[in-house]
Amino acid sequence: MEQAERAHWEFDSSDQLRIQMLVEWGVTSLPSPGTVVLRLGYALSQQEWDVYQSTDSPPHQIQAAMSAADARELGRHLLLCADLWDVPAGSPNGST
């Protein structure tokens, strides 16, 4: 990550990127033309993850509206990152 980009992210006291565990997501559109809504459910701890596993309800959720153009750009960036950093199955950091 470039230094200029770091200003847009949160880091902990050990200079590690602060992340939450994504547990579910969804996408819908609003009646207003060209508005897309992204829903992200997440857990902050192993305990919250365990509760999610038994309740199927995310402990935290954000619903963010964006333009259709922004949604396409977000999708493009997600695909680019997934393709660049995809780890083959069976490798040390990949799924088995």
Side-chain angles (χ1 to χ4, degrees):
M1 175 182 313
E2 294 180 16
Q3 191 62 32
E5 179 74 11
R6 288 179 62 88
H8 300 280
W9 296 88
E10 292 181 12
F11 292 86
D12 64 18
S13 60
S14 301
D15 202 34
Q16 297 296 310
L17 191 60
R18 290 182 55 200
I19 59 172
Q20 290 77 37
M21 174 61 68
L22 180 66
V23 296
E24 65 180 38
W25 60 272
V27 178
T28 191
S29 60
L30 295 178
S32 53
T35 302
V36 176
V37 180
L38 173 64
R39 176 181 53 82
L40 300 173
Y42 61 96
L44 296 173
S45 66
Q46 182 64 48
Q47 181 181 9
E48 287 184 354
W49 170 253
D50 294 341
V51 169
Y52 169 74
Q53 292 293 311
S54 64
T55 64
D56 200 34
S57 179
H60 306 278
Q61 182 168 292
I62 184 171
Q63 295 177 182
M66 65 191 84
S67 69
D70 287 342
R72 280 190 287 278
E73 186 68 9
L74 175 61
R76 189 182 72 74
H77 281 278
L78 288 170
L79 285 171
L80 177 66
C81 289
D83 289 344
L84 284 174
W85 297 314
D86 192 24
V87 178
S91 65
N93 293 325
S95 59
T96 56

